[in-house]
Coordinates of all heavy atoms in Angstrom, one line a residue:
M267 N 0.8 -1.2 0.0 CA 0.0 0.0 -0.1 C 1.0 1.2 0.0 O 1.6 1.5 1.0 CB -0.9 0.0 1.2 CG -1.7 1.2 1.4 SD -2.9 1.2 2.6 CE -2.0 1.9 4.1
A268 N 0.9 2.1 -1.0 CA 1.7 3.2 -1.3 C 0.8 4.4 -0.6 O -0.4 4.7 -1.0 CB 1.9 3.5 -2.7
V269 N 1.3 5.1 0.4 CA 0.5 6.2 1.0 C 1.0 7.5 0.4 O 2.2 7.7 0.1 CB 0.9 6.3 2.5 CG1 0.2 7.5 3.2 CG2 0.3 5.0 3.2
K270 N 0.1 8.4 0.0 CA 0.4 9.7 -0.7 C -0.1 10.8 0.4 O -1.1 10.6 1.0 CB -0.2 9.8 -2.0 CG 0.4 8.9 -2.9 CD -0.2 9.2 -4.3 CE 0.4 8.3 -5.4 NZ -0.1 8.5 -6.7
I271 N 0.6 11.9 0.4 CA 0.2 13.1 1.2 C -0.2 14.0 0.0 O 0.5 14.4 -0.8 CB 1.3 13.7 2.0 CG1 1.9 12.8 3.0 CG2 0.8 15.0 2.6 CD1 3.1 13.2 3.8
R272 N -1.6 14.3 0.1 CA -2.1 15.1 -1.0 C -3.3 16.1 -0.4 O -3.6 15.9 0.8 CB -2.7 14.2 -2.0 CG -3.8 13.3 -1.6 CD -4.1 12.3 -2.7 NE -5.1 11.4 -2.3 CZ -5.3 10.3 -2.8 NH1 -4.7 9.9 -3.9 NH2 -6.3 9.4 -2.3
L273 N -3.9 16.8 -1.4 CA -4.9 17.7 -0.9 C -6.3 17.2 -1.2 O -6.4 16.4 -2.2 CB -4.9 19.1 -1.9 CG -3.7 19.8 -1.7 CD1 -3.7 21.0 -2.6 CD2 -3.5 20.4 -0.2
A274 N -7.3 17.3 -0.4 CA -8.6 16.8 -0.5 C -9.5 18.0 -0.5 O -9.6 18.6 0.7 CB -8.9 15.7 0.6
R275 N -10.3 18.2 -1.5 CA -11.2 19.4 -1.4 C -12.4 19.2 -0.6 O -13.1 18.1 -0.7 CB -11.6 19.9 -2.9 CG -12.4 21.1 -2.9 CD -12.8 21.4 -4.3 NE -13.8 22.5 -4.2 CZ -13.7 23.5 -5.1 NH1 -12.9 23.5 -6.1 NH2 -14.7 24.4 -5.0
I276 N -12.8 20.2 0.2 CA -14.0 20.1 1.1 C -14.7 21.4 0.9 O -15.7 21.5 1.6 CB -13.5 19.8 2.5 CG1 -12.7 20.8 3.1 CG2 -13.0 18.5 2.8 CD1 -12.5 20.8 4.7
G277 N -14.3 22.3 0.2 CA -15.0 23.6 0.0 C -16.2 23.5 -0.8 O -16.5 22.5 -1.5
S278 N -17.0 24.6 -0.8 CA -18.3 24.7 -1.7 C -17.9 25.2 -3.1 O -16.7 25.5 -3.3 CB -19.3 25.4 -1.0 OG -18.8 26.7 -0.8
H279 N -18.9 25.4 -3.8 CA -18.7 25.9 -5.3 C -18.1 27.2 -5.3 O -18.6 28.2 -4.6 CB -20.1 25.8 -6.0 CG -20.2 26.3 -7.3 ND1 -19.5 25.5 -8.4 CD2 -20.5 27.3 -7.9 CE1 -19.5 26.3 -9.4 NE2 -20.3 27.4 -9.2
K280 N -17.0 27.4 -5.9 CA -16.3 28.7 -6.0 C -15.7 29.2 -4.8 O -15.3 30.4 -4.8 CB -17.2 29.9 -6.6 CG -17.6 29.4 -8.1 CD -18.3 30.7 -8.7 CE -18.5 30.3 -10.2 NZ -19.1 31.5 -10.9
K281 N -15.6 28.4 -3.6 CA -15.0 28.7 -2.5 C -14.2 27.4 -2.0 O -14.5 26.8 -1.0 CB -15.9 29.0 -1.4 CG -16.8 30.3 -1.7 CD -17.7 30.6 -0.6 CE -18.6 31.9 -1.0 NZ -19.5 32.2 0.1
P282 N -13.0 27.2 -2.7 CA -12.3 26.1 -2.5 C -11.7 26.2 -1.0 O -11.0 27.1 -0.4 CB -11.2 26.0 -3.5 CG -11.0 27.4 -3.9 CD -12.3 28.0 -3.8
F283 N -11.6 25.0 -0.3 CA -10.9 24.9 0.9 C -10.4 23.4 0.9 O -11.1 22.4 0.5 CB -11.8 25.0 2.1 CG -11.1 25.0 3.5 CD1 -10.4 26.2 3.9 CD2 -11.0 23.9 4.2 CE1 -9.8 26.1 5.2 CE2 -10.5 24.0 5.4 CZ -9.8 25.0 5.9
Y284 N -9.2 23.3 1.2 CA -8.4 21.9 1.2 C -7.9 21.4 2.5 O -7.6 22.2 3.4 CB -7.3 21.9 0.2 CG -7.7 22.3 -1.2 CD1 -7.7 23.6 -1.6 CD2 -8.1 21.3 -2.1 CE1 -8.0 24.0 -2.8 CE2 -8.5 21.8 -3.5 CZ -8.5 23.0 -3.7 OH -8.9 23.4 -5.1
R285 N -8.0 20.0 2.7 CA -7.3 19.4 3.7 C -6.1 18.7 3.3 O -6.1 18.2 2.1 CB -8.2 18.3 4.4 CG -9.4 18.7 5.3 CD -10.0 17.6 5.9 NE -11.1 18.0 6.6 CZ -12.2 17.5 6.9 NH1 -12.3 16.2 6.4 NH2 -13.1 17.8 7.7
I286 N -5.0 18.8 3.9 CA -3.9 18.0 3.7 C -4.0 16.8 4.3 O -4.1 16.7 5.6 CB -2.6 18.9 4.0 CG1 -2.6 20.1 3.2 CG2 -1.3 18.0 3.7 CD1 -1.8 21.1 3.9
V287 N -4.0 15.6 3.6 CA -4.4 14.3 4.2 C -3.3 13.2 3.7 O -2.6 13.4 2.6 CB -5.7 13.7 3.7 CG1 -6.8 14.7 4.4 CG2 -5.8 13.6 2.3
A288 N -3.1 12.2 4.6 CA -2.4 11.1 4.2 C -3.4 10.0 3.7 O -4.3 9.7 4.5 CB -1.5 10.6 5.3
A289 N -3.3 9.5 2.5 CA -4.2 8.6 2.0 C -3.5 7.5 1.3 O -2.5 7.8 0.6 CB -5.3 9.5 1.1
S290 N -4.3 6.4 0.9 CA -3.8 5.5 0.1 C -3.8 5.8 -1.3 O -4.6 6.5 -1.7 CB -4.8 4.2 0.3 OG -4.4 3.2 -0.5
G291 N -2.8 5.4 -2.0 CA -2.5 5.8 -3.4 C -3.7 5.3 -4.2 O -3.9 5.8 -5.4
E292 N -4.2 4.1 -4.0 CA -5.4 3.6 -4.8 C -6.6 4.3 -4.6 O -7.5 4.1 -5.5 CB -5.5 2.1 -4.4 CG -4.3 1.3 -4.8 CD -3.2 1.2 -3.7 OE1 -3.7 1.4 -2.4 OE2 -2.0 1.1 -3.8
K293 N -6.9 5.0 -3.6 CA -8.2 5.7 -3.4 C -8.4 7.0 -4.2 O -7.3 7.5 -4.5 CB -8.4 6.0 -1.8 CG -8.3 4.8 -1.0 CD -9.7 4.0 -0.8 CE -9.6 3.0 0.2 NZ -10.7 2.1 0.1
A294 N -9.6 7.3 -4.6 CA -9.8 8.6 -5.2 C -9.6 9.7 -4.2 O -9.6 9.5 -3.0 CB -11.1 8.7 -5.8
V295 N -9.4 10.9 -4.6 CA -9.0 12.1 -3.9 C -10.1 12.4 -2.9 O -9.9 12.7 -1.8 CB -8.8 13.4 -4.8 CG1 -8.5 14.6 -3.9 CG2 -7.6 13.1 -5.6
Q296 N -11.4 12.2 -3.3 CA -12.5 12.5 -2.4 C -12.8 11.4 -1.4 O -13.7 11.5 -0.6 CB -13.7 12.9 -3.2 CG -13.5 14.1 -4.0 CD -13.2 15.4 -3.1 OE1 -13.7 15.5 -2.0 NE2 -12.3 16.2 -3.7
K297 N -12.2 10.3 -1.5 CA -12.6 9.0 -0.7 C -11.8 9.2 0.7 O -11.1 10.0 1.0 CB -12.2 7.9 -1.5 CG -13.0 7.7 -2.7 CD -14.5 7.5 -2.5 CE -15.2 7.3 -3.8 NZ -16.6 7.3 -3.8
K298 N -12.1 8.0 1.4 CA -11.5 7.9 2.8 C -10.1 8.1 2.8 O -9.3 7.6 1.9 CB -12.0 6.6 3.3 CG -11.8 6.4 4.7 CD -12.3 5.1 5.3 CE -12.2 5.0 6.8 NZ -12.8 3.7 7.2
F299 N -9.6 8.8 3.8 CA -8.2 9.1 4.0 C -7.7 8.5 5.3 O -8.5 8.0 6.2 CB -7.9 10.5 4.0 CG -8.7 11.4 4.8 CD1 -8.5 11.6 6.1 CD2 -9.9 12.0 4.3 CE1 -9.3 12.4 6.9 CE2 -10.7 12.8 5.1 CZ -10.3 12.9 6.4
I300 N -6.4 8.4 5.6 CA -5.9 7.7 6.8 C -5.9 8.8 7.9 O -6.3 8.5 9.1 CB -4.5 7.3 6.6 CG1 -4.6 6.2 5.5 CG2 -4.0 6.7 7.8 CD1 -3.3 5.7 5.1
E301 N -5.3 10.0 7.8 CA -5.2 11.1 8.7 C -5.1 12.4 8.1 O -4.6 12.6 7.0 CB -3.8 10.8 9.6 CG -3.6 11.7 10.7 CD -2.4 11.3 11.5 OE1 -1.6 10.6 11.0 OE2 -2.3 11.7 12.7
I302 N -5.7 13.4 8.9 CA -5.5 14.8 8.4 C -4.3 15.4 9.0 O -4.2 15.3 10.2 CB -6.8 15.6 9.0 CG1 -8.1 15.1 8.4 CG2 -6.6 17.0 8.8 CD1 -9.3 15.8 9.1
L303 N -3.5 16.1 8.0 CA -2.2 16.6 8.5 C -2.3 18.2 8.5 O -1.3 18.7 9.1 CB -1.1 16.1 7.5 CG -1.0 14.7 7.3 CD1 0.0 14.4 6.2 CD2 -0.7 14.0 8.6
G304 N -3.1 18.8 7.9 CA -3.3 20.1 7.9 C -4.4 20.7 7.0 O -5.2 19.9 6.4
T305 N -4.4 22.0 6.8 CA -5.4 22.7 6.0 C -4.8 23.8 5.0 O -3.6 24.2 5.3 CB -6.5 23.4 6.8 OG1 -5.8 24.5 7.6 CG2 -7.2 22.6 7.6
Y306 N -5.4 24.0 4.0 CA -5.1 25.1 2.9 C -6.3 25.8 2.5 O -7.1 25.2 2.1 CB -4.2 24.4 1.8 CG -4.0 25.4 0.6 CD1 -3.2 26.5 0.9 CD2 -4.3 25.1 -0.7 CE1 -2.9 27.3 -0.2 CE2 -4.1 25.9 -1.7 CZ -3.3 27.1 -1.5 OH -3.0 27.9 -2.4
N307 N -6.1 27.2 2.5 CA -7.2 28.0 2.2 C -6.7 29.0 1.1 O -6.1 30.0 1.5 CB -7.9 28.8 3.3 CG -9.1 29.6 3.0 OD1 -9.6 29.6 1.8 ND2 -9.8 30.2 3.9
P308 N -6.9 28.7 -0.1 CA -6.4 29.7 -1.1 C -7.2 30.9 -1.3 O -6.7 31.9 -2.0 CB -6.5 28.8 -2.4 CG -7.6 27.9 -2.2 CD -7.5 27.6 -0.7
C309 N -8.4 31.0 -0.7 CA -9.3 32.1 -1.0 C -9.1 33.4 0.0 O -9.6 34.5 -0.2 CB -10.7 31.8 -0.9 SG -11.2 30.6 -2.4
S310 N -8.4 33.1 1.0 CA -8.1 34.2 2.0 C -7.0 35.1 1.4 O -6.5 35.0 0.4 CB -7.5 33.6 3.3 OG -6.4 33.0 3.1
N311 N -7.1 36.4 2.0 CA -6.2 37.4 1.5 C -4.7 36.9 1.3 O -4.1 37.1 0.4 CB -6.3 38.7 2.2 CG -7.6 39.3 2.2 OD1 -8.4 39.2 1.2 ND2 -8.1 40.1 3.1
A312 N -4.2 36.4 2.6 CA -3.1 35.8 2.4 C -3.2 34.2 2.6 O -3.9 33.9 3.5 CB -2.2 36.2 3.8
E313 N -2.7 33.6 1.6 CA -3.1 32.1 1.5 C -2.7 31.5 2.8 O -1.5 31.5 3.2 CB -2.4 31.5 0.3 CG -2.8 32.0 -1.1 CD -2.2 31.3 -2.2 OE1 -1.1 30.6 -1.9 OE2 -2.6 31.5 -3.3
Q314 N -3.6 30.9 3.5 CA -3.4 30.2 4.8 C -3.1 28.8 4.6 O -3.9 28.0 3.9 CB -4.7 30.3 5.6 CG -5.0 31.8 6.0 CD -6.1 31.9 6.9 OE1 -6.9 30.9 7.0 NE2 -6.3 33.0 7.6
F315 N -1.9 28.3 5.0 CA -1.5 27.0 4.8 C -0.9 26.6 6.2 O 0.1 27.1 6.7 CB -0.2 27.1 3.7 CG 0.3 25.6 3.5 CD1 -0.3 24.7 2.9 CD2 1.6 25.3 3.9 CE1 0.1 23.4 2.7 CE2 2.0 24.1 3.6 CZ 1.4 23.1 3.2
K316 N -1.5 25.6 6.8 CA -1.2 25.1 8.2 C -1.0 23.5 8.0 O -1.8 22.8 7.5 CB -2.2 25.4 9.2 CG -2.5 26.9 9.3 CD -3.6 27.2 10.3 CE -4.0 28.5 10.5 NZ -5.0 28.8 11.3
V317 N 0.2 23.1 8.5 CA 0.5 21.7 8.7 C 1.0 21.4 10.0 O 1.9 22.1 10.6 CB 1.6 21.4 7.6 CG1 2.1 20.0 7.7 CG2 1.1 21.7 6.1
D318 N 0.6 20.3 10.5 CA 1.1 19.7 11.8 C 2.4 19.1 11.4 O 2.4 18.0 10.9 CB 0.2 18.7 12.3 CG 0.5 18.2 13.6 OD1 1.8 18.4 14.0 OD2 -0.3 17.7 14.4
K319 N 3.5 19.7 11.6 CA 4.9 19.3 11.3 C 5.3 17.9 11.8 O 5.9 17.1 11.1 CB 5.9 20.3 11.7 CG 7.3 20.1 11.2 CD 7.2 20.4 9.7 CE 8.7 20.5 9.2 NZ 8.8 20.2 7.7
D320 N 4.8 17.6 13.1 CA 5.2 16.3 13.7 C 4.4 15.2 12.9 O 5.0 14.1 12.6 CB 4.6 16.3 15.1 CG 5.4 17.2 16.0 OD1 6.5 17.6 15.8 OD2 4.9 17.6 17.0
K321 N 3.2 15.3 12.6 CA 2.4 14.2 11.8 C 3.1 14.2 10.5 O 3.2 13.1 9.9 CB 0.9 14.8 11.8 CG 0.2 14.6 13.0 CD -1.3 14.9 12.7 CE -2.1 14.8 14.0 NZ -3.6 15.1 13.8
F322 N 3.3 15.3 9.8 CA 4.0 15.2 8.4 C 5.1 14.5 8.4 O 5.5 13.7 7.6 CB 4.1 16.7 7.8 CG 4.5 16.7 6.5 CD1 3.6 16.7 5.5 CD2 5.9 16.9 6.2 CE1 4.0 16.7 4.1 CE2 6.3 17.0 4.8 CZ 5.3 16.9 3.9
D323 N 6.2 14.8 9.3 CA 7.3 14.2 9.4 C 7.3 12.7 9.7 O 8.0 11.9 9.1 CB 8.2 14.8 10.5 CG 8.8 16.1 10.1 OD1 8.7 16.5 8.9 OD2 9.1 16.9 11.0
K324 N 6.3 12.3 10.6 CA 6.0 10.8 10.8 C 5.6 10.1 9.6 O 6.2 9.1 9.3 CB 4.9 10.7 11.8 CG 4.5 9.3 12.3 CD 3.3 9.2 13.1 CE 2.0 9.0 12.0 NZ 0.9 8.7 12.7
W325 N 4.7 10.7 8.7 CA 4.3 10.0 7.5 C 5.4 9.9 6.5 O 5.6 9.1 5.8 CB 3.0 10.6 7.0 CG 2.0 10.3 7.6 CD1 1.2 10.8 8.5 CD2 1.4 8.8 7.6 NE1 0.0 10.1 9.0 CE2 0.2 8.9 8.5 CE3 1.6 7.6 6.8 CZ2 -0.7 7.7 8.6 CZ3 0.8 6.6 7.1 CH2 -0.3 6.6 7.9
I326 N 6.3 11.0 6.4 CA 7.4 11.0 5.6 C 8.6 9.8 5.9 O 8.9 9.2 5.2 CB 8.2 12.4 5.4 CG1 7.2 13.4 4.9 CG2 9.5 12.3 4.7 CD1 6.9 13.2 3.4
S327 N 8.7 9.7 7.4 CA 9.5 8.7 7.6 C 9.0 7.3 7.5 O 9.8 6.3 7.3 CB 9.8 8.9 9.2 OG 8.7 8.6 10.1
L328 N 7.6 7.2 7.4 CA 7.1 5.8 7.1 C 7.1 5.6 5.6 O 6.5 4.5 5.2 CB 5.7 5.9 7.7 CG 5.6 5.8 9.2 CD1 4.1 5.9 9.7 CD2 6.2 4.5 9.8
G329 N 7.6 6.5 4.8 CA 7.5 6.2 3.3 C 6.5 6.9 2.4 O 6.4 6.7 1.4
A330 N 5.7 7.8 3.0 CA 4.7 8.5 2.3 C 5.3 9.4 1.3 O 6.3 10.1 1.6 CB 3.8 9.2 3.1
K331 N 4.7 9.6 0.1 CA 5.3 10.5 -0.9 C 4.2 11.7 -1.0 O 3.2 11.5 -1.4 CB 5.3 9.7 -2.3 CG 6.1 8.6 -2.3 CD 7.6 8.9 -2.3 CE 8.3 7.5 -2.5 NZ 9.7 7.7 -2.0
P332 N 4.8 12.9 -0.8 CA 3.9 14.1 -0.9 C 3.7 14.4 -2.5 O 4.5 14.1 -3.3 CB 4.7 15.3 -0.2 CG 6.0 14.7 0.0 CD 6.0 13.1 -0.2
S333 N 2.6 14.8 -2.8 CA 2.2 15.3 -4.2 C 3.0 16.6 -4.6 O 3.6 17.2 -3.7 CB 0.7 15.6 -4.3 OG 0.3 16.7 -3.6
D334 N 3.1 16.8 -5.9 CA 3.8 18.0 -6.3 C 3.2 19.2 -5.7 O 3.9 20.2 -5.4 CB 3.7 18.0 -7.9 CG 4.5 16.8 -8.5 OD1 5.4 16.3 -7.8 OD2 4.1 16.6 -9.7
T335 N 1.9 19.4 -5.6 CA 1.2 20.5 -5.2 C 1.6 20.7 -3.7 O 1.8 21.9 -3.2 CB -0.4 20.4 -5.2 OG1 -0.7 20.1 -6.6 CG2 -1.0 21.6 -4.8
V336 N 1.5 19.7 -2.8 CA 1.9 19.7 -1.4 C 3.3 20.3 -1.3 O 3.7 21.2 -0.5 CB 1.6 18.5 -0.7 CG1 2.1 18.6 0.7 CG2 0.1 18.2 -0.7
M337 N 4.3 19.7 -2.1 CA 5.7 20.1 -2.0 C 5.9 21.6 -2.4 O 6.6 22.3 -1.7 CB 6.6 19.2 -3.0 CG 6.7 17.9 -2.5 SD 7.5 17.8 -0.8 CE 9.0 18.4 -1.1
S338 N 5.1 22.0 -3.4 CA 5.2 23.5 -3.8 C 4.8 24.4 -2.8 O 5.3 25.4 -2.5 CB 4.5 23.7 -5.1 OG 3.1 23.6 -5.0
L339 N 3.6 24.0 -2.0 CA 3.1 24.8 -1.0 C 4.1 24.8 0.2 O 4.3 25.8 0.8 CB 1.8 24.3 -0.5 CG 0.5 24.4 -1.4 CD1 -0.6 23.7 -1.1 CD2 0.3 25.9 -1.7
L340 N 4.8 23.7 0.5 CA 5.8 23.7 1.5 C 7.0 24.5 1.3 O 7.5 25.3 2.0 CB 6.2 22.1 1.9 CG 5.4 21.4 2.5 CD1 5.8 19.8 2.5 CD2 5.0 21.7 4.0
K341 N 7.4 24.6 0.0 CA 8.4 25.4 -0.4 C 8.2 26.8 -0.3 O 9.0 27.7 0.0 CB 9.0 25.0 -1.8 CG 9.7 23.8 -1.9 CD 10.0 23.4 -3.3 CE 10.7 22.0 -3.3 NZ 11.1 21.7 -4.7
K342 N 6.9 27.2 -0.7 CA 6.4 28.6 -0.4 C 6.5 29.1 0.9 O 6.9 30.2 1.1 CB 5.0 28.8 -1.1 CG 5.0 28.8 -2.6 CD 3.6 29.1 -3.0 CE 3.4 28.9 -4.6 NZ 1.9 29.0 -5.0
Q343 N 6.2 28.2 1.8 CA 6.1 28.6 3.3 C 7.5 28.5 3.9 O 7.6 28.9 5.0 CB 5.2 27.6 4.0 CG 3.6 27.8 3.6 CD 3.2 29.2 3.9 OE1 3.5 29.7 5.0 NE2 2.5 29.8 3.0
G344 N 8.4 27.8 3.2 CA 9.9 27.8 3.8 C 9.9 26.7 4.8 O 10.7 26.8 5.7
K345 N 9.2 25.6 4.7 CA 9.1 24.6 5.8 C 9.9 23.4 5.2 O 10.0 23.2 4.2 CB 7.8 24.2 6.1 CG 7.0 25.3 6.9 CD 5.6 25.0 7.3 CE 5.0 26.1 8.0 NZ 3.7 25.9 8.4

């Protein structure tokens, strides 16, 4: 089972809001996930990106692969 760290959209129409989740690579983006790692709100004045660093590091050490989008958000935040 390959675990991926990716975004899962939970916002309404034209108001996106995302959770950063650890999910099985075989599941669709909107399906069940393993754990919530943070949130991302692109609609706020200053894009709000919050990640629980301890949980994120735990999943990386267990072999989870972050998506390209999650990696670019982390680089923007300097984490």
Side-chain angles (χ1 to χ4, degrees):
M267 177 175 95
V269 176
K270 292 185 178 180
I271 298 173
R272 61 184 178 201
L273 298 177
R275 183 178 170 140
I276 59 170
S278 61
H279 182 68
K280 294 191 178 183
K281 294 181 183 177
F283 187 81
Y284 299 93
R285 285 183 181 152
I286 300 154
V287 296
S290 172
E292 294 84 31
K293 301 276 185 189
V295 175
Q296 298 298 326
K297 299 295 179 183
K298 191 173 181 179
F299 51 85
I300 301 169
E301 186 174 16
I302 298 173
L303 305 178
T305 59
Y306 171 56
N307 185 2
C309 290
S310 65
N311 292 337
E313 293 181 353
Q314 294 178 345
F315 179 73
K316 297 178 184 174
V317 173
D318 185 344
K319 192 68 171 160
D320 295 332
K321 289 181 184 180
F322 185 82
D323 290 339
K324 179 188 94 171
W325 280 105
I326 294 294
S327 68
L328 292 174
K331 303 284 185 197
S333 68
D334 294 337
T335 306
V336 172
M337 284 305 296
S338 67
L339 289 171
L340 284 171
K341 288 179 183 176
K342 282 182 185 177
Q343 294 295 319
K345 295 182 180 180

